[in-house]
Amino acid sequence: MDYTCQGKILERSDKEEIFDAIDELKVGMEVSNETEAYNLCNTYAFRKGFSIRKGNIRRDAQNKVRQRDYFCSKEGFQSDEDLCEVKKVRRLDTRTGCKALIRFTVDNGIWKISHINLDHNHEFAKPEERQFLRSGRHIPCVRAGTLGPKVDESTRPTKSYPYLGKNFGNAENVGSTNKDCHNYLQRNKEEMLEGGDGQSLINYFKHKQMEDPSFFYSVQVDQFNRITNYFWRDGRSRLDYDCFGDVVCFDTTFRTKKYNLICAPFVGVNHHCKNVLFGCAFVSDESTDSFVWLFETFLESMGYKQPKTIFTDVGDAMANAIAVMLRETRHHLCIWHISKNATQYIGSHYSNHEFKEHFNKCFHDCLTEAEFEATWNDLIRKFNLESNSWLQELYSLREKWCPAFSLDTFTANFRSSNRGESITSTFHQISTKTMDLIGLVQHYEKKTKVVRSAELEEDFRCKNGTPHLRANSGIFKHAASEYTIKMYSFFENELMSIFGVRMIEVGNDGNQYIYEAIEEGHPRVYIIEYNSATSMVSCSCKLFESIGLLCRHALKVLDLKNFTSIPTRYIVKRWTKGAKKRIVQSSHLYESSYKMGKSAQALRLSELMHEGNNVFSIGSLCDSGTRIVKQKLVEAMKLLESDEETTSMQGNLNKVDDQFVRDVLLDN
């Protein structure tokens, strides 16, 4: 095919449009130069879901290009690198030996496709993942032109990417990442809904519910029938909570500048050890009643599934509400907030290196209650702090922040102070910008998109590459195949550290072995128990119980017993690449005071949402898949309409009465 288009020389934008319309490449297609050849291949690759790179080039005696190959980016295999060489960044191994290629032969300046091999040995990127394809990350003229009239000197570069995403439907359609767009494009300001904030917010939530049937919101009114508290979450947050809702951070440190409302996000940690957002609330005060309403509403929105652990700031009202509504949840205090408060209440001491070393030991290095008491008493005496009221209160709450009292509590590494800093960096603009309620909700939605885009990119990296292994065998390979890249790096650090562990056997009754272990340069002794009949191993450091990864001491035992893979029971699914695949809730997660019909329906709804989400994601990849899903949904609806139990239950449902909301808004 000749792209001169019946003799007319095409402008650049015209050629881009033609290239965008190409679904298949064929032998004999022609272009006029190397740039067009690359763009043709790259556009085709992007539409299919793979990345390309330039391959072999052959030249004639006059050094003119005679032949050029373009490979799939997964062609060949990565060469072995020197592990002794210190590198700041070790690239992922993305090569799979793919044989796909496109070959151009050049004759009289015309580039013609002479050979094609389109057989790939790997998965293609999904449409929402194509923005991360290396060769596809570019900013075409048509996209750059979209923003031309909008650019001005006052527009910050960081706003360019959201603007492109808005104009092209979503971020996946931009064809580049945030970093690629930085300093190149500009975004115009979004128009905010005007009118009464209460009315606008309710209308906005109703609009979101029409777009997303799983969207949930609730409001609370005071004795004067005025709206005081709001909570909302979208359907995706419910799915994320089902996967990662074992640990939640509830942060109330952000206040809106315009209304002085508390903006309280519910935050978790996903399988890439990054933040995931479960929902958000606007709360008018920090009373026990407000928090009780909020926690009850949050549980209702999540099918009454309680987290294993919740992290909060210090506060009696919040602690009382947690004791009432989250009886199955372990309450912990966020270390980042304590450290921040320390600069206020003991600032003169906190800047002292020796004091800070003792203080931090109480938070991180005490594994027994006796060890904590000795360390704390030494700290108080050494710096004459017996009369400090803030430290006295902190000591009274020690069971909520010292690991010695909760080693067996799963925390997903949320104790890290970096987690609190990460949440603050996400929401600090809430308290610095003057926005109405709609603007604040939209600001939260933007942050949610950023968080989810980061997760999507990490999922893509995990699917399309593997970490460079320190040893290409045994447990290393098994861990790399199961864990996400981030969690593999944590696991690999523990596995490599077994070489610094010295261990002796101190007990053996046949199947049950007991070992004592110490780490080089450290006096602490760890006790490891191993059962050869069940392959169960446990360590007194309780790393597996608190984080979900085997520690170096337990791994030392498995290495001694010649294990070449991680026992299945010690691979926690929430840290694996397949953490979000085919999640089906178990009824034991909901064995609480909420055992009622409503909870049972929420459980069934959760199962259907997960199964349906997987079907819809696959079906949406192409037109034929979409048709199949629609056809089966029609068939399913007919079956439901003919089912006596379903129709009977549907007839008994009470319709939601929104009149109270109208009355409230009229009174405001």
Side-chain angles (χ1 to χ4, degrees):
M1 180 180 292
D2 189 348
Y3 290 103
T4 55
C5 194
Q6 296 182 352
K8 176 184 176 182
I9 302 299
L10 299 177
E11 297 296 329
R12 180 176 177 82
S13 59
D14 295 329
K15 292 176 180 177
E16 284 181 350
E17 290 179 4
I18 290 179
F19 290 167
D20 286 341
I22 293 173
D23 290 322
E24 297 294 338
L25 296 182
K26 298 179 181 179
V27 173
M29 285 184 171
E30 296 178 355
V31 292
S32 57
N33 55 54
E34 184 174 2
T35 300
E36 290 184 8
Y38 177 82
N39 288 340
L40 175 64
C41 297
N42 194 30
T43 303
Y44 168 79
F46 184 81
R47 290 172 65 85
K48 291 298 181 182
F50 66 96
S51 191
I52 66 167
R53 57 188 175 86
K54 295 177 180 179
N56 300 328
I57 187 170
R58 295 175 177 82
R59 300 180 183 272
D60 58 19
Q62 287 75 40
N63 202 35
K64 293 181 179 180
V65 177
R66 183 168 56 87
Q67 192 177 84
R68 161 68 90 177
D69 292 344
Y70 295 97
F71 296 146
C72 172
S73 64
K74 293 181 178 289
E75 181 269 345
F77 296 95
Q78 185 175 17
S79 58
D80 294 333
E81 62 179 68
D82 185 0
L83 294 180
C84 295
E85 182 183 355
V86 178
K87 291 186 175 182
K88 291 184 179 180
V89 179
R90 291 187 180 274
R91 292 187 176 181
L92 297 179
D93 183 2
T94 61
R95 306 288 186 90
T96 63
C98 183
K99 301 293 185 181
L101 70 84
I102 304 166
R103 175 170 295 162
F104 282 85
T105 300
V106 184
D107 186 18
N108 294 325
I110 301 299
W111 288 60
K112 180 186 294 187
I113 298 179
S114 58
H115 177 72
I116 299 178
N117 179 5
L118 300 180
D119 294 329
H120 296 261
N121 65 353
H122 56 87
E123 290 184 58
F124 287 163
K126 296 178 182 178
E128 64 270 21
E129 297 173 335
R130 293 174 189 170
Q131 57 181 313
F132 307 122
L133 293 171
R134 189 178 182 88
S135 69
R137 288 165 54 181
H138 66 297
I139 305 173
C141 295
V142 65
R143 284 161 172 73
T146 302
L147 299 179
K150 304 294 183 181
V151 175
D152 61 56
E153 294 181 358
S154 64
T155 306
R156 291 190 296 172
T158 54
K159 295 184 177 180
S160 60
Y161 192 68
Y163 181 73
L164 277 180
K166 180 184 175 184
N167 278 271
F168 287 91
N170 52 48
E172 292 85 350
N173 295 336
V174 174
S176 56
T177 65
N178 196 355
K179 185 176 180 181
D180 299 320
C181 291
H182 188 74
N183 287 330
Y184 188 78
L185 299 173
Q186 299 293 345
R187 179 181 79 80
N188 68 340
K189 295 180 179 179
E190 292 185 341
E191 294 183 0
M192 294 294 183
L193 295 176
E194 297 181 355
D197 270 4
Q199 177 72 63
S200 295
L201 188 58
I202 295 296
N203 290 343
Y204 186 76
F205 284 157
K206 288 182 177 181
H207 175 71
K208 299 298 291 186
Q209 207 165 50
M210 291 177 63
E211 293 180 340
D212 175 9
S214 299
F215 185 92
F216 178 97
Y217 74 93
S218 183
V219 297
Q220 185 186 34
V221 298
D222 61 13
Q223 67 270 29
F224 302 109
N225 221 24
R226 296 174 302 194
I227 297 177
T228 57
N229 301 323
Y230 303 81
F231 170 80
W232 77 96
R233 63 118 181 103
D234 62 11
R236 166 70 183 274
S237 293
R238 171 63 189 274
L239 299 177
D240 286 336
Y241 183 81
D242 283 343
C243 297
F244 308 117
D246 43 13
V247 178
V248 173
C249 179
F250 177 63
D251 200 327
T252 58
T253 58
F254 313 104
R255 282 189 176 268
T256 64
K257 188 173 182 178
K258 186 174 181 180
Y259 303 101
N260 200 35
L261 291 172
I262 300 166
C263 178
F266 290 84
V267 184
V269 56
N270 65 14
H271 51 324
H272 302 294
C273 212
K274 292 182 178 293
N275 288 341
V276 58
L277 304 179
F278 299 139
C280 193
F282 292 144
V283 185
S284 60
D285 59 54
E286 296 185 75
S287 65
T288 297
D289 289 341
S290 289
F291 287 135
V292 166
W293 172 85
L294 180 55
F295 291 142
E296 183 177 20
T297 302
F298 177 77
L299 289 177
E300 179 186 357
S301 76
M302 299 300 183
Y304 295 99
K305 173 188 175 183
Q306 297 191 25
K308 294 179 181 178
T309 310
I310 187 169
F311 285 86
T312 72
D313 196 1
V314 178
D316 291 338
M318 192 182 307
N320 294 336
I322 290 173
V324 172
M325 299 307 305
L326 300 174
R327 297 174 184 173
E328 300 174 7
T329 301
R330 191 73 176 263
H331 183 198
H332 282 270
L333 299 179
C334 180
I335 291 178
W336 183 81
H337 287 131
I338 294 176
S339 299
K340 186 179 179 182
N341 292 333
T343 61
Q344 177 182 351
Y345 294 104
I346 52 173
S348 58
H349 294 286
Y350 201 64
S351 58
N352 182 304
H353 177 74
E354 185 179 3
F355 173 86
K356 198 169 184 178
E357 190 175 89
H358 281 72
F359 191 69
N360 288 339
K361 183 179 179 180
C362 295
F363 285 89
H364 303 291
D365 297 329
C366 295
L367 297 186
T368 66
E369 295 181 26
E371 185 180 3
F372 165 76
E373 295 292 347
T375 303
W376 183 267
N377 292 333
D378 182 55
L379 173 75
I380 298 298
R381 285 194 303 267
K382 190 169 186 175
F383 295 94
N384 300 316
L385 293 168
E386 290 84 357
S387 61
N388 187 285
S389 59
W390 183 76
L391 286 175
Q392 290 173 0
E393 181 186 7
L394 189 63
Y395 177 79
S396 69
L397 299 171
R398 60 193 179 280
E399 294 185 2
K400 293 185 177 182
W401 55 264
C402 178
F405 297 88
S406 57
L407 284 176
D408 58 347
T409 301
F410 186 75
T411 65
N413 205 29
F414 233 114
R415 284 195 177 101
S416 169
S417 62
N418 292 336
R419 183 66 53 190
E421 293 174 6
S422 177
I423 296 171
T424 299
S425 66
T426 301
F427 289 97
H428 76 281
Q429 289 179 318
I430 288 285
S431 57
T432 60
K433 289 192 173 184
T434 302
M435 301 180 185
D436 58 15
L437 293 179
I438 297 295
L440 292 169
V441 172
Q442 291 178 334
H443 179 81
Y444 172 83
E445 290 172 347
K446 291 176 187 176
K447 294 301 180 183
T448 302
K449 289 179 181 179
V450 171
V451 168
R452 290 172 180 172
S453 178
E455 179 182 312
L456 182 63
E457 183 170 7
E458 288 299 321
D459 286 340
F460 177 79
R461 293 179 70 237
C462 287
K463 188 173 73 172
N464 287 274
T466 56
H468 194 88
L469 308 184
R470 298 288 184 92
N472 193 28
S473 61
I475 291 182
F476 286 94
K477 292 180 67 174
H478 186 213
S481 68
E482 294 285 346
Y483 292 126
T484 61
I485 294 170
K486 183 68 174 180
M487 297 313 299
Y488 173 78
S489 68
F490 290 157
F491 180 84
E492 185 184 63
N493 181 63
E494 291 297 317
L495 189 56
M496 293 299 295
S497 297
I498 69 174
F499 298 109
V501 175
R502 299 292 172 260
M503 188 174 64
I504 59 173
E505 182 180 314
V506 296
N508 181 355
D509 65 355
N511 291 330
Q512 192 74 18
Y513 295 81
I514 301 176
Y515 299 91
E516 288 185 352
I518 61 171
E519 299 177 25
E520 292 181 358
H522 299 278
R524 178 176 284 126
V525 178
Y526 300 93
I527 306 299
I528 306 100
E529 297 183 14
Y530 171 73
N531 188 299
S532 59
T534 62
S535 297
M536 293 184 66
V537 61
S538 63
C539 178
S540 60
C541 77
K542 301 292 184 180
L543 184 71
F544 179 77
E545 288 79 359
S546 63
I547 295 181
L549 288 177
L550 285 175
C551 64
R552 60 196 65 182
H553 319 112
L555 290 170
K556 182 78 171 181
V557 173
L558 296 184
D559 182 62
L560 179 68
K561 299 300 180 181
N562 298 316
F563 276 75
T564 58
S565 62
I566 308 167
T568 303
R569 63 164 55 90
Y570 297 114
I571 299 177
V572 178
K573 186 173 183 180
R574 69 150 5 262
W575 296 130
T576 65
K577 299 175 184 178
K580 301 182 76 171
K581 290 183 179 178
R582 299 185 66 81
I583 297 293
V584 178
Q585 296 297 338
S586 301
S587 59
H588 74 273
L589 292 174
Y590 301 127
E591 290 175 358
S592 65
S593 59
Y594 296 105
K595 288 180 178 177
M596 56 181 69
K598 194 172 185 179
S599 296
Q601 183 194 2
L603 173 60
R604 293 190 292 268
L605 179 61
S606 176
E607 295 178 5
L608 291 175
M609 285 172 64
H610 278 289
E611 294 295 329
N613 187 60
N614 188 40
V615 172
F616 298 153
S617 296
I618 297 174
S620 65
L621 295 176
C622 59
D623 291 338
S624 61
T626 302
R627 286 194 297 271
I628 292 173
V629 172
K630 285 185 175 181
Q631 177 184 345
K632 294 303 178 182
L633 285 175
V634 171
E635 294 177 9
M637 182 57 71
K638 291 180 179 179
L639 291 173
L640 290 172
E641 290 172 349
S642 62
D643 181 70
E644 292 184 5
E645 183 180 3
T646 302
T647 53
S648 175
M649 290 296 294
Q650 189 175 22
N652 293 331
L653 289 177
N654 294 322
K655 295 183 179 180
V656 177
D657 185 7
D658 285 338
Q659 186 61 46
F660 86 98
V661 176
R662 300 189 187 96
D663 295 340
V664 168
L665 294 172
L666 288 173
D667 291 340
N668 284 346

